[in-house]
Amino acid sequence: MRSCQQPCGTPGVKSPAPRPEERHARVSYGNTPRAPSSAPSWAGAARLRGWALPLPHAPAGPVLPPQAPPRPGPGPPSEGGGSSPGPSEAARAAMRPARRSRLETLELRRQLIGSSCKLFFSNDPVKIIKAKGQYMYDENGRQYLDCINNVAHVGHCHPDIVKAAHEQNQLLNTNSRYLHDNLVDYAERLSKTLPEKLCTFYFLNSGSEANDLALRLARQYTKHEDVIVLDHAYHGHLTSLIDISPYKFRNLEGQKEWVHVAPVPDTYRGLYREDHEDSVTAYANEVKNIIEQAHKRGRKIAAFFVESLPSVGGQIIPPAGYFQKVAEHVHKAGGVFIADEIQVGFGRVGKHFWAFQLQGEDFIPDIVTMGKPIGNGHPIACVATTKEIAEAFGATGVEYFNTFGGNPVSCAIGLAVLDVIEKEHLQAHATEVGNFLMKLFKEQKIKHPIIGDVRGSGLFIGIDLIKDQAERTPATAEAEHLVTRLKEEYILLSTDGPGRNVLKFKPPMCFSMEDAKFVVDTIDKLLTDMEKNV
């Protein structure tokens, strides 16, 4: 397993955070950001480490990230007529459509895009046109701190990722039926982050595709059909995955007969809480009981399908040992264990590269799915499994082919993401910043009774807001109000959980100590105002 043990050189926790009017954007592509400067260094392939950008709190004019110097134009035409210089920059600018206002874009979206495709802050959406690191910028240059974008895993528009994509795009991009080094190089690199047993890979375009393939693999290997999932789970938007996502199917056609729903192993508000003598066994026995009841009806279990850390379910951290006990019951029933790492993989939990490793070294899933952070915003996904399961899938004689899965550009980007995680010590950084953020929130929990629970690992953190301490009733309206007010303070945050009352933190991994302090101070101020109004 690769786990970075090097200390993270982020700013010291004792340093006071600057006041909003003094605060400058520090785009932290790494754990040792230098002091902000008025312009970035663009020497060769050097990484963009930071620049000074006044926050929108300041009365300065519009603020946009600096642009890279213009690329040299094409050389003179070759003797054989070759390439022409092409249009001038002024001509290219004239050909671009004029930038629309936010309201014009919103109106066009309403006309052209399906109404089920929702926006963040739908009553007053933000129009984002640029991003760098952990910051996003609207059309007026206002800077927003991004606390939820786990897709831009190592930072928005990371120069190393952009460079890798650009260089490979200039050479070749095609489907994966051609032999190419990038595919095997990437598979080999990924294999070094996983237990030895998980040594066969399939590459795809999205997390939904990965989970659909995992379901096919499980059914082909076991010759069974039924799937056990956790309540409130979400595994993707394909029909096969809506069927195993209670978060979705409860509002659609309901639960299929081959789907079985187990309670979320939530020790804060679940069936068995922190005061239970053995919540691990109690929650695992719920799965055992489901299997027994299924067998009585002649059903056979193909898989237990679970997010390693349930996200939509409320940023849940299953108690250590739960997966081991569940896997024992599932394997005995002839099924396999599928760990969905699409939200939480690639070092986000800090202590480990994969979230399932929080359960202990003795736990190894049969199938692992990956998406979202794997390509830092580029559409790439992956399924890792055992030789035995892969061979059973191949024994059908039916080819598995994904046109773009594993193409040279996607694999180049995937390799660059792994390089950045290692080079910038982002696992250690996630541990340090995440621990600091949770420490600050636990201090706020003493001050504000609305904060019921603070839970998480690394930069996967949930703040459970409640109406009362005894019943732990979800503070849904209060959470929505807080998120709206945070947007007005230029902080982008969202909620999750069945009660939509859990503040979810899944920021880019370059999120800094300064960012953590700024967010908590702002939430403290807003909660204080809310309490005064009540």
Side-chain angles (χ1 to χ4, degrees):
M1 302 303 116
R2 183 171 68 215
S3 178
C4 177
Q5 301 299 321
Q6 299 189 36
C8 189
T10 47
V13 300
K14 295 182 180 179
S15 301
R19 296 189 302 274
E21 62 270 18
E22 298 174 339
R23 190 168 175 272
H24 291 276
R26 183 174 296 174
V27 180
S28 307
Y29 286 125
N31 58 324
T32 53
R34 68 185 182 194
S37 61
S38 58
S41 169
W42 293 92
R47 291 173 296 164
L48 178 63
R49 302 293 294 186
W51 57 71
L53 289 169
L55 269 179
H57 306 85
V63 180
L64 289 173
Q67 302 295 305
R71 291 174 298 172
S78 63
E79 293 181 3
S83 60
S84 63
S88 67
E89 179 59 32
R92 285 195 295 269
M95 288 187 285
R96 297 188 196 110
R99 181 182 291 172
R100 299 183 184 90
S101 71
R102 185 176 70 98
L103 293 179
E104 288 171 333
T105 302
L106 182 59
E107 181 56 33
L108 270 177
R109 181 183 171 100
R110 286 171 175 162
Q111 293 174 23
L112 300 171
I113 307 302
S115 60
S116 58
C117 301
K118 303 297 184 183
L119 288 165
F120 284 130
F121 315 108
S122 55
N123 292 331
D124 185 25
V126 181
K127 183 180 180 182
I128 295 297
I129 63 168
K130 287 181 180 288
K132 279 287 181 184
Q134 64 272 49
Y135 300 102
M136 304 180 82
Y137 302 86
D138 70 11
E139 76 278 17
N140 295 313
R142 290 174 296 206
Q143 173 186 285
Y144 293 81
L145 177 60
D146 184 358
C147 298
I148 52 176
N149 205 319
N150 61 329
V151 177
H153 187 59
V154 301
H156 291 280
C157 303
H158 193 293
D160 289 11
I161 313 301
V162 174
K163 180 174 181 285
H166 177 62
E167 290 182 349
Q168 183 57 51
N169 257 319
Q170 293 183 101
L171 293 172
L172 170 72
N173 199 26
T174 187
N175 69 52
S176 53
R177 286 182 189 246
Y178 294 102
L179 190 63
H180 198 276
D181 286 341
N182 284 8
L183 179 68
V184 292
D185 287 347
Y186 187 40
E188 185 177 43
R189 282 285 299 279
L190 274 179
S191 71
K192 293 177 181 177
T193 71
L194 289 160
E196 186 177 352
K197 169 184 170 182
L198 298 168
C199 58
T200 304
F201 299 87
Y202 299 85
F203 291 100
L204 317 94
N205 304 312
S206 70
S208 287
E209 280 191 315
N211 280 345
D212 178 75
L213 177 58
L215 193 57
R216 291 179 60 192
L217 289 167
R219 284 175 166 163
Q220 180 60 38
Y221 177 70
T222 65
K223 306 300 184 183
H224 300 166
E225 181 183 19
D226 290 25
V227 179
I228 304 173
V229 295
L230 295 182
D231 206 357
H232 312 299
Y234 174 64
H235 293 291
H237 61 78
L238 301 182
T239 299
S240 62
L241 304 175
I242 295 295
D243 286 345
I244 64 169
S245 298
Y247 171 68
K248 293 293 186 181
F249 71 59
R250 293 200 194 286
N251 297 315
L252 294 170
E253 297 177 359
Q255 187 172 336
K256 299 289 194 295
E257 63 175 352
W258 51 268
V259 176
H260 311 275
V261 179
V264 180
D266 178 359
T267 56
Y268 178 68
R269 62 169 66 253
L271 282 177
Y272 310 106
R273 300 186 176 184
E274 68 274 10
D275 57 352
H276 192 276
E277 60 182 4
D278 187 358
S279 62
V280 171
T281 300
Y283 277 117
N285 282 343
E286 292 288 332
V287 176
K288 180 183 178 183
N289 293 338
I290 286 172
I291 293 172
E292 290 172 351
Q293 292 302 313
H295 285 173
K296 288 178 181 178
R297 294 190 289 117
R299 313 293 310 183
K300 293 183 178 181
I301 305 302
F304 180 76
F305 209 130
V306 63
E307 295 172 273
S308 296
L309 299 178
S311 178
V312 172
Q315 305 288 98
I316 305 300
I317 311 295
Y322 170 70
F323 283 3
Q324 288 90 326
K325 289 183 179 291
V326 168
E328 183 180 343
H329 299 317
V330 171
H331 288 155
K332 187 176 179 180
V336 298
F337 193 108
I338 301 173
D340 178 342
E341 291 270 337
I342 289 166
Q343 295 267 18
V344 294
F346 292 87
R348 175 160 296 279
V349 299
K351 289 184 282 188
H352 301 284
F353 201 80
W354 303 105
F356 70 78
Q357 293 169 325
L358 292 170
Q359 292 285 312
E361 293 182 2
D362 60 331
F363 174 70
I364 302 175
D366 301 295
I367 302 173
V368 174
T369 61
M370 313 165 203
K372 292 188 189 297
I374 188 173
N376 208 60
H378 181 83
I380 177 175
C382 181
V383 176
T385 190
T386 66
K387 282 287 185 189
E388 293 77 15
I389 293 175
E391 287 171 1
F393 188 62
T396 63
V398 176
E399 177 189 16
Y400 176 77
F401 173 59
N402 187 302
T403 303
F404 300 110
N407 69 73
V409 170
S410 293
C411 291
I413 290 170
L415 284 163
V417 170
L418 295 179
D419 286 341
V420 172
I421 293 170
E422 185 174 342
K423 180 169 56 176
E424 298 186 357
H425 314 304
L426 291 182
Q427 277 184 249
H429 183 74
T431 296
E432 184 177 14
V433 177
N435 287 346
F436 178 57
L437 184 56
M438 284 193 285
K439 172 181 174 291
L440 295 179
F441 272 120
K442 286 174 181 176
E443 292 170 358
Q444 293 299 315
K445 182 175 181 288
I446 298 170
K447 182 177 179 182
H448 300 291
I450 193 173
I451 298 178
D453 191 36
V454 177
R455 52 182 178 260
S457 179
L459 285 173
F460 177 89
I461 295 170
I463 311 301
D464 199 315
L465 302 185
I466 58 173
K467 287 180 177 291
D468 59 89
Q469 294 287 336
E471 297 297 324
R472 301 179 178 179
T473 308
T476 304
E478 292 84 350
E480 182 181 0
H481 174 76
L482 182 60
V483 165
T484 300
R485 285 288 291 111
L486 283 168
K487 188 201 77 167
E488 294 169 3
E489 298 291 333
Y490 307 102
I491 295 171
L492 302 178
L493 194 62
S494 187
T495 59
D496 244 328
R500 304 297 302 178
N501 66 303
V502 179
L503 304 180
K504 62 177 180 181
F505 286 85
K506 292 181 290 185
M509 295 275 277
C510 50
F511 196 81
S512 70
M513 295 282 201
E514 181 184 77
D515 298 323
K517 185 71 165 61
F518 173 62
V519 169
V520 176
D521 285 349
T522 305
I523 289 177
D524 176 26
K525 177 174 71 92
L526 295 176
L527 289 179
T528 300
D529 291 344
M530 288 167 62
E531 289 160 0
K532 286 178 182 177
N533 291 333
V534 171

